[in-house]
């Protein structure tokens, strides 16, 4: 068993202060006034861009495909998501679907060593219009991606959307081997949902969950959630499904390691820019590791959620604003 000490994880700020800071950042991320200031006033994005660059790989596909080989050369698998928020009309949905179709086409000639794993929220490809729209759009992308060995991972969203997400996933999983699903350990319902998801045999990415949910819907961060995560992971492994541990939490990874689980998973996945030394330490042990990259210009929600996961990173963001040259792509991996 190996224990990884990640310096940011050793600090012990007041737990209540951290909880309030996390909720404050999530509230800011969801505030339509803040989103409007970001989307409608380019100065806001320009001012924050040096800090966001730590987490956003590129503004467009050209920049993305220049940088993915750098991560591959360091021994990582890669994932790609086009950053954005819920698409609420047909034109927005079509723009996202077209973006992914172009991404799949460009992937063909990108010269990567291994196929990427694509990911998106169903709300970005039509689920807010209808479940059928999201299912049809995702099926078309799965069919286009399959010949290249590219898989598509369906992300999980707030709890009110989970029923529709699972319905769409089950239908797709019966027809497409290259579809995978994210599940949130924090939701009380996930233990029940596994009963219908596991028999489909598809890959599962297990996350803690980033959305702020009521106590009767989800567990808060803490030891109980870590124990539940470990139990869910054991259940997935026992069933034989491929599974990715997706977490930036050094304490959780140590818990899983102490139970001998990390050696059994398909991979450990972390979002680009989130604790690269921690991911590298596991890669250096020989555990397959994936860097989940995000590209695009509509990065407000993604950026705020990264800060909310570990509020002390606000200090890192402020330092990056003051000294943008601190952010050097791939250097910490």
């Amino acid at each position: 068993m190996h224990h990884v000490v990640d310096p940011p994880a050793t600090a012990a700020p007041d737990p209540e202060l951290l909880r309030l800071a996390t909720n404050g950042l999530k509230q800011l991320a969801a505030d339509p006034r803040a989103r409007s200031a970001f989307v409608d006033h380019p100065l806001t994005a320009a001012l924050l861009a040096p800090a966001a660059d730590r987490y956003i790989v590129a503004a467009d596909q050209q920049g993305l495909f220049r940088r993915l080989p750098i991560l591959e050369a360091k021994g990582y698998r890669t994932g790609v998501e086009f950053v954005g928020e819920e698409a609420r009309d047909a034109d927005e949905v079509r723009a996202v679907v077209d973006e992914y179709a172009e991404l799949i086409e460009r992937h063909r000639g990108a010269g990567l060593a291994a196929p990427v794993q694509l990911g998106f929220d169903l709300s970005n490809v039509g689920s807010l219009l209808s479940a059928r729209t999201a299912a049809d759009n995702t099926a078309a992308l799965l069919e286009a991606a399959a010949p290249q060995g590219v898989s598509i991972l369906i992300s999980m969203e707030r709890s009110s959307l989970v029923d529709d997400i699972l319905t769409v996933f089950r239908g797709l999983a019966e027809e497409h081997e290259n579809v995978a699903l994210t599940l949130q350990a924090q939701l009380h319902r996930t233990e029940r949902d596994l009963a219908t998801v596991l028999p489909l045999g598809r890959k599962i990415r297990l996350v803690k969950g980033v959305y702020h949910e009521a106590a009767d819907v989800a567990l808060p961060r803490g030891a109980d959630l870590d124990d539940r995560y470990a139990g869910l992971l054991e259940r997935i492994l026992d069933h034989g499904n491929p599974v990715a541990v997706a977490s930036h939490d050094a304490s959780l990874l140590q818990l899983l390691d102490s139970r001998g689980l990390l050696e059994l998973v398909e991979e450990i996945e972390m979002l680009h820019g989130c604790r690269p030394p921690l991911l590298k330490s596991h890669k250096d042990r020989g555990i397959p590791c994936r860097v989940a990259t995000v590209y695009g210009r509509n990065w407000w929600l993604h950026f705020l959620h990264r800060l909310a996961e570990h509020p002390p990173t606000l200090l890192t963001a402020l330092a990056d604003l003051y000294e943008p040259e601190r952010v050097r792509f791939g250097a910490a991996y």
Side-chain angles (χ1 to χ4, degrees):
M1 181 182 69
H2 301 259
H3 290 290
V4 177
V5 178
D6 191 30
T10 61
D14 177 59
E16 179 63 10
L17 183 62
L18 281 180
R19 184 187 70 82
L20 292 172
T22 294
N23 290 341
L25 286 164
K26 289 181 179 180
Q27 181 173 298
L28 185 62
D31 190 324
R33 297 170 300 175
R35 295 190 191 191
S36 176
F38 175 82
V39 173
D40 299 333
H41 303 284
L43 178 60
T44 305
L47 289 172
L48 294 175
D53 283 348
R54 184 173 293 277
Y55 308 102
I56 307 301
V57 169
D60 53 30
Q61 292 185 20
Q62 184 176 359
L64 172 74
F65 282 114
R66 282 199 304 266
R67 287 186 155 180
L68 291 181
I70 297 172
L71 295 173
E72 282 197 332
K74 291 175 176 284
Y76 295 96
R77 301 172 179 181
T78 58
V80 172
E81 182 169 348
F82 176 55
V83 69
E85 300 181 24
E86 297 170 347
R88 296 187 175 276
D89 63 52
D91 289 341
E92 290 178 342
V93 169
R94 177 45 51 192
V96 173
V97 174
D98 288 348
E99 179 75 24
Y100 276 97
E102 181 184 352
L103 189 61
I104 292 168
E105 182 59 32
R106 293 187 70 157
H107 178 276
R108 188 187 310 277
L112 296 174
V116 301
Q117 174 181 269
L118 301 182
F120 50 72
D121 293 344
L122 289 183
S123 63
N124 269 341
V125 295
S127 68
L128 299 184
L129 304 181
S130 72
R132 174 47 53 194
T133 299
D136 289 346
N137 285 334
T138 306
L141 293 172
L142 286 163
E143 290 172 6
Q148 299 183 52
V150 171
S151 60
I152 294 179
L153 178 74
I154 296 173
S155 297
M156 193 49 71
E157 305 183 57
R158 61 185 188 272
S159 60
S160 60
L161 300 178
V162 172
D163 282 335
D164 284 346
I165 293 171
L166 292 180
T167 297
V168 170
F169 170 74
R170 292 183 191 113
L172 293 170
E174 292 176 355
E175 302 291 335
H176 302 278
E177 294 184 359
N178 59 327
V179 68
L181 179 69
T182 304
L183 289 176
Q184 299 178 86
Q186 71 172 5
L187 296 183
H188 300 321
R189 62 173 293 164
T190 298
E191 296 192 52
R192 301 190 305 274
D193 291 335
L194 276 181
T196 59
V197 170
L198 288 177
L200 297 169
R202 302 295 176 239
K203 178 183 175 179
I204 293 171
R205 175 175 66 176
L206 188 61
V207 302
K208 282 188 174 183
V210 70
Y211 296 95
H212 183 58
E213 304 281 2
D216 62 340
V217 173
L219 284 176
R221 295 295 172 105
D224 288 344
L225 179 54
D226 289 353
D227 285 340
R228 176 187 284 178
Y229 189 110
L232 292 169
L233 180 59
E234 287 177 332
R235 187 173 165 192
I236 297 167
L237 288 168
D238 287 345
H239 195 272
N241 293 62
V243 59
V245 167
S247 177
H248 313 127
D249 186 339
S251 296
L252 173 63
L253 293 174
Q254 286 184 2
L255 173 65
L256 301 179
D257 204 14
S258 70
R259 299 188 185 184
L261 299 177
L262 290 187
E263 304 289 347
L264 304 176
V265 302
E266 179 169 288
E267 62 193 14
I268 298 173
E269 177 185 308
M270 295 187 191
L271 286 161
H272 174 261
C274 295
R275 311 182 90 163
L278 180 60
L279 187 63
K280 182 179 184 299
S281 68
H282 289 92
K283 190 247 319 178
D284 290 346
R285 288 174 51 188
I287 298 175
C289 291
R290 187 181 301 273
V291 179
T293 69
V294 171
Y295 80 98
R297 292 179 172 85
N298 191 10
W299 42 256
W300 170 256
L301 190 63
H302 182 80
F303 176 51
L304 266 291
H305 276 166
R306 301 293 71 76
L307 300 183
E309 284 180 343
H310 190 59
T313 55
L314 272 171
L315 297 177
T316 300
L318 291 171
D320 291 344
L321 288 174
Y322 179 72
E323 195 174 285
E325 58 270 23
R326 284 166 40 90
V327 182
R328 294 182 295 126
F329 182 81
Y333 287 102

